[in-house]
Amino acid sequence: MTSDTPNPTGGLIGAVLSGRYQITGELGRGGMGVVYKSVDTLLRRNVAIKMLSPTLVDARAERRIEAEARTVARLEHPTIVPIHDMGRHHDMLYLVMPLVAGETLKTLISRGELRLGDILEIGVQGAQALGYSHRRGVVHRDIKPGNLLLTRLGGQVRLRILDFGLARRFDEEDLTRSTRVAGTLAYLSPEQVESGGKNAEGPSDLYALGAVLYECLAGLPPFQGSLFSTLYRIVHEAPKSLADHGLHLDAELEAIVLGCLAKDPADRPASGEELARRLARYRDQLAESEWARRTSQPVTATRRERVGRAPAEPLLGRDAELRQLEDRLARVLGNESGLALIAGDAGTGKSRLVQELVEQAKDRRFLVLQGRYSELETTFRYQALCELIEDYFRGGESSYGLRGAPELDDVAPDLLH
């Protein structure tokens, strides 16, 4: 492949950008594009190049990114990964950054490898960087475990924050399309949700950092679930106390973390510096035995919220209803589609009846998608069905995956649009 011709599959391995940056490998893919490992042939150093997808970043977004990239390039902070250069390759805008070693915080949380001292260091360093950037008018807008890179020096963690100032603003359409916000949803502040993403200022970054610290401690973000239930919880519900996750922490530390998650931005720490001071003060008083204490356990499917897993008790007095449902199931075996609705007062055994039908369907190797939904003012037609399909095909973030129905792989992209 020549330096002038893009690979038709979207890959750029071997290409030379602007006569200077030779792409040698792919580092990862994200919501805005692909990150490549590259060599700066002029300065003879390794760099990371973020190639922004032209299908996801329109002309207006590109102008904003270019303006913010110039601002971020002037930031000088050890925790902030800077921008060295930017350019264009054919119709694609790219950004050049240092190649930083380490693992994402998302990976470490999933493995349960964080100590309490590590978490406090992450909080202190992250809050200091946010305080520095906010004073200079730069808001990150997408603080999350996947954007936080960690290395260890002398047994202590060093934090580097990626994508500073480059996160795309969300609008009202984004907050009604789970394909756009799924990776960031758990870290959106209440004011971002209520304004369609327009109120992403400094307090929103502090909220997101608080959500990250909560997840580091508990192993799960403060709010989770389907798209609209999570949005509702972020705005209207208080997060569970860390004690509810089986953690026994000092009230002071819990107050710091939950204070970042306050619904009203005015009730959160006044600045990143204030949050850093409170976390550092707590860290400095920590006993050595507490510093090395493990908090959360590795996150597995059994720790996630599961639906329809209640222990099976005998089904009594519902023979007639069960026979009707079994008849419907038999018709499906004969390629006849149908719809069965089960209604009744609370406590009359509807869930147990459905559970019996589900077990029979699974015994016949049917693909079964399950969920529980509450009607909200923001729901749209067929939302429940759409979310069931999306949860199933998104695999890694749910307990389903594609292994159960490989014959549907070819239609997955269409079903997710």
Side-chain angles (χ1 to χ4, degrees), residues 329-340:
L329 195 61
R331 294 182 189 179
V332 175
L333 286 170
N335 293 324
E336 179 182 335
S337 61
L339 173 68

Side-chain angles (χ1 to χ4, degrees), residues 123-128 271-281:
V124 170
Q125 295 175 35
Q128 289 173 340
S271 65
E273 289 88 352
E274 178 186 322
L275 176 58
R277 285 193 294 269
R278 294 181 63 186
L279 289 168
R281 185 167 56 246

Side-chain angles (χ1 to χ4, degrees), residues 156-301:
Q156 293 190 350
V157 296
R158 181 186 178 190
L159 175 67
R160 305 297 299 276
I161 303 179
L162 305 171
D163 284 356
F164 227 99
L166 301 180
R168 185 172 58 84
R169 295 185 190 273
F170 297 117
D171 55 28
E172 293 180 359
E173 179 184 0
D174 293 321
L175 292 179
T176 59
R177 295 185 60 181
S178 58
T179 56
R180 293 285 185 89
V181 300
T184 301
L185 182 61
Y187 314 98
L188 291 178
S189 65
E191 61 269 23
Q192 284 176 285
V193 174
E194 290 187 304
S195 69
K198 296 179 177 60
N199 289 342
E201 303 300 336
S204 291
D205 276 352
L206 298 183
Y207 178 97
L209 181 59
V212 168
L213 295 176
Y214 185 104
E215 185 173 355
C216 287
L217 293 165
L220 297 169
F223 303 104
Q224 59 178 354
S226 61
L227 172 66
F228 281 93
S229 65
T230 302
L231 295 176
Y232 180 87
R233 291 171 185 172
I234 288 172
V235 174
H236 298 288
E237 295 182 7
K240 289 183 179 179
S241 72
L242 293 169
D244 289 340
H245 291 280
L247 296 172
H248 301 288
L249 301 172
D250 289 347
E252 180 183 357
L253 178 56
E254 178 150 348
I256 294 173
V257 175
L258 295 184
C260 294
L261 300 175
K263 304 300 183 189
D264 187 342
D267 293 332
R268 298 172 204 155
S271 65
E273 289 88 352
E274 178 186 322
L275 176 58
R277 285 193 294 269
R278 294 181 63 186
L279 289 168
R281 185 167 56 246
Y282 183 88
R283 176 201 61 190
D284 294 343
Q285 298 172 356
L286 202 63
E288 186 174 345
S289 59
E290 280 292 290
W291 179 280
R293 174 185 169 190
R294 303 279 180 175
T295 54
S296 65
Q297 298 299 314
V299 178
T300 62

